[in-house]
Amino acid sequence: MPLLLSGNEAIVEGALASGCRMFGGYPITPSSDIAEKMSLRLPKMGGKFIQMEDEIASLGACLGSSLTGIRSMTATSGPGFSLMQEHIGFAAMAEIPCVIVNVQRGGPSTGLPTYPSQGDVMQSRWGTHGDHPIIVLVPFSILECYTLTIKAFNYSDKFRTPVIILSDEILAHLREKIELLKEIDVKVRNFPEVPPEEYLPFDSRYLVPPLAPYGKGYRFHITGLVHDETGFPTADPEKVRSLQERLASKIPEEEVRDMDVRYMDDARICLFSIGSIARSALRAVLQLRKKNKKVGFIRPITVWPFPYDEIKRLSRDLDVIYVCEMNMGQIVGEVERAAECDVRFIGKADGTIISPGEILYRVMH
Amino acid sequence: MRKEVILVGSGGQGTLLGGHILAEAAGIFDGYNVSNSGRYGAAARGDVTVSEVVISDEEIDYPKVTKADYMICLSQIGYDKYKNVLKKNGILIADSFYVYRTEHKNTHFIPLSEVVREKTGSEVGTNIAALGAFVRITKMVSKEAIRKAVKEKTPKGTEDFNLTIFDIGLGKIKEDVKVDEREQDLQEEYISILEADIQQR
């Protein structure tokens, strides 16, 4: 039987279905339902729910439990996401799998707690210092909140990386009908093939070295400092370069790339958007098509790594791309870098959704 | 067919729960595609709260209400804030105790909160009674579907109470009072002046 779920509830279902058994969090609107539902469901499944003293500690708790081999998740919104940046960097450096849900709300600072925004698109990529790999997935429906959460856990284990799900207030509090999957494709972490005495946690022969769970006899050092293959700090330029290059190349763009491309065969104009605003854009595309305008629709589902090559290829036959986003202009810069056609921006950050009518008006005039 | 419903009230009146029950009934028990979302300010009580429900037999692209076909309204400030969302010929179901001035022709003033208060001693459940009136007037969703959704979504132990209230709303309560004809003309004149004013700007 189908269920009527909100975006937050669908994320919880996706996480539990993919085997998440630990949630460390700190409630914040509009993500609090995730913590609430997790606190009710996890203990009944043998999992652990911990409310920490703040968001820094929340992600810290998740990283600790993830190192023991347990799939772990946290959820927050803008202000909490800012606090988590420190540990996102730690997770990237120490290569610890974890899933972070950021239900975006208006910012900066405390901003607009109960109103939506897409203001964290660049923060999700470059919020933490230093070069680091990251995967950011952006759902646009309740079904995708569910399926992308499952995907996020698989990516984080496969590539030993933090994965961020960028939801927003619109999806968080929107309810839609979804059918939960009967069979879930769960890809578990690679377990080391060598005995403990030969184990190297950052073995450079692998692009993504197997991660031994703590408590199974494998002993190793975890640090935020640049480290060698054993996990101990080093400043040897050769070793530093080797680590940096491996980190930079460990997430293959073509493997994680996921895009929703529609009506592009004969398109001269294209509406480009991500997340919930893509729903407005899709409606605008359908209405413009009814007026015999040749309009296409592009929506990256995996926003980081950004699909530069794909946008470049698709833009060759276009006159103009309209980038619609609920901020003052973030992802539009990346589209400009990639596209070989004119790029225009439709955006605002006043706490209200960009309606299909607003997009139509801009495209028609 | 895509129909948009907007429920408007003040915090504490159960607007959001009302929308949730309507969406559950239409989506899960009557088999339509639905989307439901709420809007509320930082103040939980007293501030205007809105619940939007889109019911369609096609895939729902844009999940929010753009121009509503139906409005259930439980407070005057809510109406004043969201009256432009309801189509000019849209159907408005208004609680006659809390809403006293509307600009829509198809207004059904129903003393929902008064009747609920009379029968139960409190106004809790006016949202459910409003759903009853909605089903009776619009026939958008089946009674059985709402009954099932009420059972599922209202707090344990209050199901029967809420079902009784739903039946109160479903039954004909007094005569629905339409907007006074003379007042209606005045309001239309007022609207046309307003529109001309906006165009001039």
Short mmCIF file of all heavy atoms in Angstrom, two decimals, chain A residues 1-4 9 29 113-115 140 169-170 173-177 262 276 279-280 282-283 286 353-356, chain B residues 2 4 16 20 23-24 27-29 31-38 40-42 59-64 66 152:
data_model
loop_
_atom_site.label_atom_id
_atom_site.label_comp_id
_atom_site.label_asym_id
_atom_site.label_seq_id
_atom_site.Cartn_x
_atom_site.Cartn_y
_atom_site.Cartn_z
N MET A 1 0.84 -1.20 0.00
CA MET A 1 0.00 0.00 0.00
C MET A 1 0.88 1.25 0.00
O MET A 1 1.87 1.30 0.71
CB MET A 1 -0.90 -0.01 1.24
CG MET A 1 -2.07 0.94 1.13
SD MET A 1 -3.28 0.67 2.44
CE MET A 1 -2.98 2.06 3.49
N PRO A 2 0.52 2.23 -0.81
CA PRO A 2 1.32 3.45 -0.79
C PRO A 2 1.19 4.19 0.53
O PRO A 2 0.22 4.00 1.27
CB PRO A 2 0.73 4.28 -1.94
CG PRO A 2 -0.64 3.76 -2.13
CD PRO A 2 -0.63 2.33 -1.72
N LEU A 3 2.17 5.03 0.81
CA LEU A 3 2.15 5.82 2.04
C LEU A 3 2.20 7.30 1.68
O LEU A 3 2.77 7.69 0.67
CB LEU A 3 3.38 5.50 2.90
CG LEU A 3 3.51 4.08 3.45
CD1 LEU A 3 4.89 3.91 4.07
CD2 LEU A 3 2.43 3.82 4.47
N LEU A 4 1.56 8.10 2.51
CA LEU A 4 1.64 9.55 2.35
C LEU A 4 2.73 10.05 3.31
O LEU A 4 2.51 10.08 4.51
CB LEU A 4 0.29 10.18 2.68
CG LEU A 4 0.15 11.66 2.35
CD1 LEU A 4 0.07 11.87 0.84
CD2 LEU A 4 -1.07 12.27 3.01
N GLU A 9 10.15 12.43 6.54
CA GLU A 9 9.81 11.04 6.86
C GLU A 9 10.39 10.08 5.82
O GLU A 9 10.85 8.99 6.16
CB GLU A 9 8.28 10.89 6.91
CG GLU A 9 7.65 11.55 8.12
CD GLU A 9 6.14 11.69 8.03
OE1 GLU A 9 5.59 11.60 6.91
OE2 GLU A 9 5.51 11.90 9.06
N THR A 29 14.73 23.33 13.20
CA THR A 29 13.74 23.49 12.14
C THR A 29 14.48 23.83 10.84
O THR A 29 15.42 24.62 10.90
CB THR A 29 12.79 24.66 12.49
OG1 THR A 29 12.19 24.37 13.73
CG2 THR A 29 11.73 24.85 11.43
N PRO A 113 13.78 30.59 9.86
CA PRO A 113 13.73 29.18 10.27
C PRO A 113 12.64 28.34 9.60
O PRO A 113 12.86 27.17 9.34
CB PRO A 113 13.47 29.27 11.78
CG PRO A 113 14.00 30.61 12.17
CD PRO A 113 13.74 31.51 11.00
N THR A 114 11.46 28.93 9.32
CA THR A 114 10.40 28.08 8.78
C THR A 114 10.16 28.31 7.29
O THR A 114 9.15 27.90 6.75
CB THR A 114 9.07 28.30 9.54
OG1 THR A 114 8.74 29.69 9.46
CG2 THR A 114 9.18 27.89 10.99
N TYR A 115 11.10 28.98 6.63
CA TYR A 115 10.92 29.26 5.20
C TYR A 115 12.08 28.69 4.38
O TYR A 115 13.20 28.58 4.87
CB TYR A 115 10.78 30.76 4.98
CG TYR A 115 9.55 31.32 5.63
CD1 TYR A 115 9.60 31.83 6.92
CD2 TYR A 115 8.32 31.26 4.99
CE1 TYR A 115 8.45 32.30 7.55
CE2 TYR A 115 7.17 31.73 5.60
CZ TYR A 115 7.24 32.25 6.88
OH TYR A 115 6.11 32.70 7.49
N PHE A 140 14.15 16.14 -5.58
CA PHE A 140 13.11 17.12 -5.95
C PHE A 140 11.70 16.59 -5.70
O PHE A 140 10.72 17.27 -5.98
CB PHE A 140 13.31 17.62 -7.39
CG PHE A 140 12.52 16.95 -8.48
CD1 PHE A 140 11.90 17.72 -9.46
CD2 PHE A 140 12.38 15.59 -8.53
CE1 PHE A 140 11.19 17.13 -10.49
CE2 PHE A 140 11.66 14.98 -9.56
CZ PHE A 140 11.07 15.75 -10.53
N GLU A 169 13.18 23.27 2.97
CA GLU A 169 11.95 23.35 3.77
C GLU A 169 10.74 22.92 2.97
O GLU A 169 9.80 22.34 3.53
CB GLU A 169 11.78 24.78 4.30
CG GLU A 169 10.72 24.94 5.39
CD GLU A 169 9.31 25.11 4.84
OE1 GLU A 169 9.15 25.52 3.67
OE2 GLU A 169 8.36 24.82 5.57
N ILE A 170 10.73 23.19 1.67
CA ILE A 170 9.56 22.82 0.85
C ILE A 170 9.37 21.30 0.88
O ILE A 170 8.29 20.79 1.17
CB ILE A 170 9.73 23.32 -0.59
CG1 ILE A 170 9.76 24.85 -0.60
CG2 ILE A 170 8.59 22.80 -1.48
CD1 ILE A 170 10.14 25.43 -1.94
N HIS A 173 8.45 19.59 4.41
CA HIS A 173 7.07 19.64 4.89
C HIS A 173 6.05 19.36 3.80
O HIS A 173 4.88 19.66 3.97
CB HIS A 173 6.81 21.00 5.55
CG HIS A 173 7.65 21.21 6.78
ND1 HIS A 173 8.06 22.44 7.19
CD2 HIS A 173 8.16 20.33 7.65
CE1 HIS A 173 8.80 22.32 8.29
NE2 HIS A 173 8.87 21.04 8.59
N LEU A 174 6.51 18.83 2.69
CA LEU A 174 5.58 18.45 1.61
C LEU A 174 5.27 16.96 1.76
O LEU A 174 6.16 16.17 2.03
CB LEU A 174 6.24 18.70 0.25
CG LEU A 174 5.44 18.28 -0.98
CD1 LEU A 174 4.28 19.24 -1.20
CD2 LEU A 174 6.32 18.27 -2.22
N ARG A 175 3.99 16.63 1.61
CA ARG A 175 3.64 15.21 1.65
C ARG A 175 3.23 14.75 0.26
O ARG A 175 2.47 15.42 -0.41
CB ARG A 175 2.49 14.95 2.61
CG ARG A 175 2.86 15.10 4.05
CD ARG A 175 1.79 14.56 4.97
NE ARG A 175 2.13 14.89 6.34
CZ ARG A 175 1.77 16.04 6.93
NH1 ARG A 175 1.06 16.93 6.28
NH2 ARG A 175 2.12 16.27 8.18
N GLU A 176 3.76 13.58 -0.13
CA GLU A 176 3.34 12.96 -1.39
C GLU A 176 3.22 11.47 -1.17
O GLU A 176 3.71 10.93 -0.18
CB GLU A 176 4.37 13.25 -2.49
CG GLU A 176 4.31 14.66 -3.01
CD GLU A 176 5.27 14.90 -4.18
OE1 GLU A 176 6.44 14.48 -4.10
OE2 GLU A 176 4.84 15.50 -5.15
N LYS A 177 2.57 10.85 -2.15
CA LYS A 177 2.32 9.42 -2.04
C LYS A 177 3.52 8.66 -2.59
O LYS A 177 3.95 8.93 -3.70
CB LYS A 177 1.09 9.11 -2.90
CG LYS A 177 0.32 7.93 -2.48
CD LYS A 177 -1.07 7.98 -3.08
CE LYS A 177 -1.10 7.63 -4.55
NZ LYS A 177 -2.44 7.32 -5.04
N ARG A 262 15.02 16.41 -19.78
CA ARG A 262 13.77 16.17 -20.52
C ARG A 262 13.58 17.23 -21.59
O ARG A 262 14.01 18.35 -21.43
CB ARG A 262 12.56 16.22 -19.57
CG ARG A 262 12.69 15.30 -18.36
CD ARG A 262 11.40 15.29 -17.58
NE ARG A 262 11.66 14.87 -16.20
CZ ARG A 262 10.71 14.61 -15.32
NH1 ARG A 262 9.44 14.73 -15.65
NH2 ARG A 262 11.01 14.24 -14.09
N SER A 276 13.70 21.41 -5.16
CA SER A 276 12.26 21.67 -5.23
C SER A 276 11.90 22.72 -6.29
O SER A 276 10.80 22.69 -6.84
CB SER A 276 11.75 22.11 -3.86
OG SER A 276 12.53 23.17 -3.38
N ARG A 279 10.61 21.66 -9.62
CA ARG A 279 9.18 21.36 -9.81
C ARG A 279 8.49 22.54 -10.49
O ARG A 279 7.63 22.36 -11.36
CB ARG A 279 8.51 21.07 -8.46
CG ARG A 279 9.12 19.91 -7.69
CD ARG A 279 8.73 18.58 -8.26
NE ARG A 279 7.35 18.23 -8.03
CZ ARG A 279 6.92 17.41 -7.08
NH1 ARG A 279 7.77 16.87 -6.23
NH2 ARG A 279 5.66 17.10 -6.97
N SER A 280 8.85 23.76 -10.06
CA SER A 280 8.29 24.96 -10.69
C SER A 280 8.78 25.04 -12.14
O SER A 280 8.00 25.35 -13.05
CB SER A 280 8.75 26.23 -9.96
OG SER A 280 8.41 26.16 -8.61
N LEU A 282 9.72 22.64 -14.09
CA LEU A 282 9.12 21.60 -14.92
C LEU A 282 7.72 22.03 -15.36
O LEU A 282 7.34 21.88 -16.53
CB LEU A 282 9.06 20.28 -14.15
CG LEU A 282 8.55 19.07 -14.92
CD1 LEU A 282 9.40 18.81 -16.15
CD2 LEU A 282 8.56 17.83 -14.02
N ARG A 283 6.95 22.62 -14.45
CA ARG A 283 5.62 23.10 -14.80
C ARG A 283 5.73 24.21 -15.85
O ARG A 283 4.98 24.24 -16.83
CB ARG A 283 4.92 23.61 -13.53
CG ARG A 283 3.72 24.49 -13.76
CD ARG A 283 2.59 23.77 -14.45
NE ARG A 283 1.75 23.04 -13.56
CZ ARG A 283 0.73 23.57 -12.85
NH1 ARG A 283 0.47 24.84 -12.93
NH2 ARG A 283 0.01 22.82 -12.09
N LEU A 286 6.41 22.74 -19.28
CA LEU A 286 5.21 22.14 -19.89
C LEU A 286 4.29 23.23 -20.43
O LEU A 286 3.72 23.09 -21.51
CB LEU A 286 4.47 21.27 -18.86
CG LEU A 286 5.24 20.04 -18.38
CD1 LEU A 286 4.51 19.33 -17.27
CD2 LEU A 286 5.49 19.07 -19.54
N ILE A 353 8.69 30.49 -2.48
CA ILE A 353 9.09 29.62 -3.58
C ILE A 353 9.00 30.40 -4.90
O ILE A 353 8.15 31.28 -5.04
CB ILE A 353 8.17 28.37 -3.59
CG1 ILE A 353 8.62 27.35 -4.64
CG2 ILE A 353 6.72 28.74 -3.81
CD1 ILE A 353 7.91 26.00 -4.49
N ILE A 354 9.89 30.10 -5.83
CA ILE A 354 9.79 30.70 -7.17
C ILE A 354 8.67 29.95 -7.87
O ILE A 354 8.77 28.74 -8.10
CB ILE A 354 11.10 30.55 -7.96
CG1 ILE A 354 12.26 31.20 -7.19
CG2 ILE A 354 10.97 31.16 -9.35
CD1 ILE A 354 13.61 30.98 -7.83
N SER A 355 7.60 30.65 -8.22
CA SER A 355 6.44 29.96 -8.80
C SER A 355 6.64 29.76 -10.29
O SER A 355 7.44 30.46 -10.92
CB SER A 355 5.17 30.76 -8.54
OG SER A 355 5.21 31.93 -9.32
N PRO A 356 5.91 28.78 -10.88
CA PRO A 356 6.01 28.59 -12.33
C PRO A 356 5.68 29.89 -13.07
O PRO A 356 6.29 30.20 -14.08
CB PRO A 356 4.96 27.53 -12.62
CG PRO A 356 4.75 26.82 -11.33
CD PRO A 356 5.00 27.82 -10.26
N ARG B 2 -6.94 18.69 -12.22
CA ARG B 2 -6.12 19.07 -11.07
C ARG B 2 -6.93 20.05 -10.25
O ARG B 2 -7.39 21.07 -10.76
CB ARG B 2 -4.82 19.71 -11.55
CG ARG B 2 -3.94 20.24 -10.42
CD ARG B 2 -2.73 21.00 -10.99
NE ARG B 2 -2.11 21.79 -9.93
CZ ARG B 2 -0.86 21.61 -9.50
NH1 ARG B 2 -0.09 20.70 -10.03
NH2 ARG B 2 -0.36 22.37 -8.55
N GLU B 4 -7.16 22.29 -6.64
CA GLU B 4 -6.33 22.81 -5.55
C GLU B 4 -7.21 23.28 -4.40
O GLU B 4 -8.17 24.01 -4.61
CB GLU B 4 -5.48 23.97 -6.07
CG GLU B 4 -4.57 23.56 -7.23
CD GLU B 4 -3.63 24.67 -7.69
OE1 GLU B 4 -3.87 25.85 -7.36
OE2 GLU B 4 -2.67 24.35 -8.39
N LEU B 16 -3.40 22.43 9.78
CA LEU B 16 -2.42 21.55 9.17
C LEU B 16 -2.89 20.09 9.23
O LEU B 16 -2.77 19.35 8.26
CB LEU B 16 -1.05 21.70 9.86
CG LEU B 16 -0.39 23.07 9.67
CD1 LEU B 16 0.84 23.19 10.55
CD2 LEU B 16 -0.01 23.31 8.23
N HIS B 20 -3.72 17.44 6.19
CA HIS B 20 -3.09 16.12 6.18
C HIS B 20 -4.15 15.03 6.01
O HIS B 20 -3.99 14.10 5.22
CB HIS B 20 -2.32 15.94 7.49
CG HIS B 20 -1.42 14.74 7.51
ND1 HIS B 20 -0.56 14.49 8.53
CD2 HIS B 20 -1.27 13.72 6.64
CE1 HIS B 20 0.10 13.36 8.28
NE2 HIS B 20 -0.32 12.88 7.14
N ALA B 23 -5.55 15.05 2.45
CA ALA B 23 -4.59 14.48 1.50
C ALA B 23 -4.52 12.97 1.64
O ALA B 23 -4.49 12.23 0.65
CB ALA B 23 -3.22 15.11 1.71
N GLU B 24 -4.50 12.50 2.88
CA GLU B 24 -4.44 11.06 3.14
C GLU B 24 -5.68 10.37 2.54
O GLU B 24 -5.59 9.32 1.90
CB GLU B 24 -4.40 10.84 4.66
CG GLU B 24 -4.32 9.38 5.09
CD GLU B 24 -2.89 8.91 5.30
OE1 GLU B 24 -1.98 9.75 5.36
OE2 GLU B 24 -2.69 7.68 5.37
N GLY B 27 -5.50 10.68 -1.37
CA GLY B 27 -4.35 9.98 -1.94
C GLY B 27 -4.35 8.49 -1.67
O GLY B 27 -4.22 7.67 -2.58
N ILE B 28 -4.49 8.13 -0.41
CA ILE B 28 -4.33 6.73 -0.04
C ILE B 28 -5.64 5.96 -0.24
O ILE B 28 -5.67 4.86 -0.78
CB ILE B 28 -3.85 6.59 1.42
CG1 ILE B 28 -2.55 7.39 1.63
CG2 ILE B 28 -3.65 5.12 1.80
CD1 ILE B 28 -1.38 6.97 0.78
N PHE B 29 -6.78 6.55 0.18
CA PHE B 29 -8.02 5.78 0.18
C PHE B 29 -8.88 6.01 -1.07
O PHE B 29 -9.66 5.15 -1.45
CB PHE B 29 -8.82 6.09 1.45
CG PHE B 29 -8.05 5.73 2.69
CD1 PHE B 29 -7.66 6.70 3.60
CD2 PHE B 29 -7.68 4.41 2.95
CE1 PHE B 29 -6.93 6.36 4.72
CE2 PHE B 29 -6.96 4.06 4.07
CZ PHE B 29 -6.57 5.05 4.96
N GLY B 31 -7.31 7.04 -4.00
CA GLY B 31 -6.41 6.68 -5.10
C GLY B 31 -5.97 7.81 -6.02
O GLY B 31 -5.41 7.56 -7.08
N TYR B 32 -6.19 9.05 -5.66
CA TYR B 32 -5.69 10.17 -6.49
C TYR B 32 -4.21 10.37 -6.23
O TYR B 32 -3.64 9.88 -5.26
CB TYR B 32 -6.42 11.47 -6.12
CG TYR B 32 -7.86 11.53 -6.51
CD1 TYR B 32 -8.86 11.40 -5.55
CD2 TYR B 32 -8.24 11.75 -7.83
CE1 TYR B 32 -10.20 11.48 -5.90
CE2 TYR B 32 -9.57 11.82 -8.19
CZ TYR B 32 -10.54 11.68 -7.22
OH TYR B 32 -11.85 11.76 -7.57
N ASN B 33 -3.57 11.16 -7.11
CA ASN B 33 -2.26 11.69 -6.77
C ASN B 33 -2.48 12.93 -5.92
O ASN B 33 -3.36 13.73 -6.22
CB ASN B 33 -1.48 12.07 -8.04
CG ASN B 33 -0.95 10.84 -8.74
OD1 ASN B 33 -0.54 9.87 -8.10
ND2 ASN B 33 -0.97 10.86 -10.05
N VAL B 34 -1.70 13.06 -4.87
CA VAL B 34 -1.88 14.21 -4.00
C VAL B 34 -0.54 14.81 -3.58
O VAL B 34 0.49 14.13 -3.60
CB VAL B 34 -2.62 13.86 -2.68
CG1 VAL B 34 -4.08 13.60 -2.92
CG2 VAL B 34 -1.97 12.71 -1.96
N SER B 35 -0.58 16.08 -3.25
CA SER B 35 0.55 16.67 -2.52
C SER B 35 -0.05 17.58 -1.47
O SER B 35 -1.12 18.15 -1.67
CB SER B 35 1.48 17.42 -3.46
OG SER B 35 0.86 18.60 -3.89
N ASN B 36 0.62 17.64 -0.34
CA ASN B 36 0.11 18.42 0.78
C ASN B 36 1.27 19.11 1.46
O ASN B 36 2.31 18.51 1.70
CB ASN B 36 -0.61 17.46 1.76
CG ASN B 36 -0.84 18.07 3.13
OD1 ASN B 36 -0.55 17.45 4.15
ND2 ASN B 36 -1.34 19.27 3.18
N SER B 37 1.11 20.42 1.68
CA SER B 37 2.19 21.10 2.39
C SER B 37 1.60 22.17 3.28
O SER B 37 0.49 22.64 3.05
CB SER B 37 3.18 21.71 1.41
OG SER B 37 2.51 22.57 0.52
N GLY B 38 2.33 22.51 4.30
CA GLY B 38 1.86 23.51 5.27
C GLY B 38 2.73 24.74 5.25
O GLY B 38 3.87 24.69 4.82
N TYR B 40 3.55 27.97 7.94
CA TYR B 40 3.26 28.61 9.22
C TYR B 40 4.45 29.44 9.65
O TYR B 40 5.58 29.19 9.25
CB TYR B 40 2.92 27.57 10.29
CG TYR B 40 3.93 26.46 10.42
CD1 TYR B 40 4.99 26.58 11.29
CD2 TYR B 40 3.82 25.30 9.65
CE1 TYR B 40 5.93 25.56 11.39
CE2 TYR B 40 4.75 24.28 9.75
CZ TYR B 40 5.79 24.41 10.62
OH TYR B 40 6.71 23.41 10.71
N GLY B 41 4.17 30.45 10.44
CA GLY B 41 5.25 31.32 10.91
C GLY B 41 5.93 30.73 12.13
O GLY B 41 5.63 29.62 12.54
N ALA B 42 6.83 31.51 12.71
CA ALA B 42 7.56 31.02 13.89
C ALA B 42 6.62 30.90 15.09
O ALA B 42 6.83 30.09 15.97
CB ALA B 42 8.72 31.95 14.20
N GLU B 59 0.05 13.06 -12.97
CA GLU B 59 1.25 13.28 -12.16
C GLU B 59 1.28 14.75 -11.75
O GLU B 59 0.96 15.63 -12.55
CB GLU B 59 2.50 12.95 -12.98
CG GLU B 59 3.74 12.79 -12.15
CD GLU B 59 5.00 12.74 -13.00
OE1 GLU B 59 4.92 12.29 -14.16
OE2 GLU B 59 6.04 13.16 -12.50
N ILE B 60 1.63 15.03 -10.51
CA ILE B 60 1.66 16.42 -10.04
C ILE B 60 3.06 16.98 -10.24
O ILE B 60 4.01 16.52 -9.60
CB ILE B 60 1.25 16.49 -8.55
CG1 ILE B 60 -0.22 16.04 -8.40
CG2 ILE B 60 1.43 17.90 -8.00
CD1 ILE B 60 -0.69 15.90 -6.98
N ASP B 61 3.19 17.93 -11.17
CA ASP B 61 4.52 18.51 -11.37
C ASP B 61 4.81 19.55 -10.28
O ASP B 61 5.66 19.37 -9.45
CB ASP B 61 4.69 19.10 -12.79
CG ASP B 61 3.45 19.85 -13.28
OD1 ASP B 61 2.68 20.30 -12.43
OD2 ASP B 61 3.28 19.99 -14.50
N TYR B 62 4.02 20.63 -10.31
CA TYR B 62 4.23 21.67 -9.30
C TYR B 62 3.36 21.34 -8.09
O TYR B 62 2.14 21.28 -8.20
CB TYR B 62 3.87 23.03 -9.89
CG TYR B 62 4.11 24.19 -8.96
CD1 TYR B 62 5.39 24.48 -8.51
CD2 TYR B 62 3.07 25.00 -8.54
CE1 TYR B 62 5.62 25.54 -7.66
CE2 TYR B 62 3.29 26.06 -7.68
CZ TYR B 62 4.57 26.33 -7.25
OH TYR B 62 4.79 27.38 -6.40
N PRO B 63 3.96 21.11 -6.92
CA PRO B 63 3.19 20.55 -5.80
C PRO B 63 2.44 21.57 -4.95
O PRO B 63 1.74 21.19 -4.02
CB PRO B 63 4.27 19.87 -4.96
CG PRO B 63 5.49 20.67 -5.21
CD PRO B 63 5.39 21.21 -6.61
N LYS B 64 2.60 22.86 -5.24
CA LYS B 64 1.96 23.87 -4.39
C LYS B 64 0.70 24.41 -5.07
O LYS B 64 0.49 24.22 -6.26
CB LYS B 64 2.92 25.03 -4.13
CG LYS B 64 4.27 24.62 -3.56
CD LYS B 64 4.20 24.28 -2.11
CE LYS B 64 4.67 25.42 -1.27
NZ LYS B 64 4.79 25.06 0.14
N THR B 66 -1.43 27.23 -6.76
CA THR B 66 -1.23 28.51 -7.44
C THR B 66 -2.52 29.32 -7.39
O THR B 66 -2.55 30.45 -6.95
CB THR B 66 -0.77 28.31 -8.90
OG1 THR B 66 -1.58 27.30 -9.49
CG2 THR B 66 0.66 27.89 -8.96
N GLU B 152 -7.05 7.16 11.24
CA GLU B 152 -5.61 6.93 11.23
C GLU B 152 -4.82 8.10 11.80
O GLU B 152 -3.80 7.92 12.44
CB GLU B 152 -5.17 6.68 9.79
CG GLU B 152 -3.98 5.77 9.69
CD GLU B 152 -3.86 5.23 8.28
OE1 GLU B 152 -4.54 4.23 7.96
OE2 GLU B 152 -3.12 5.84 7.50
#
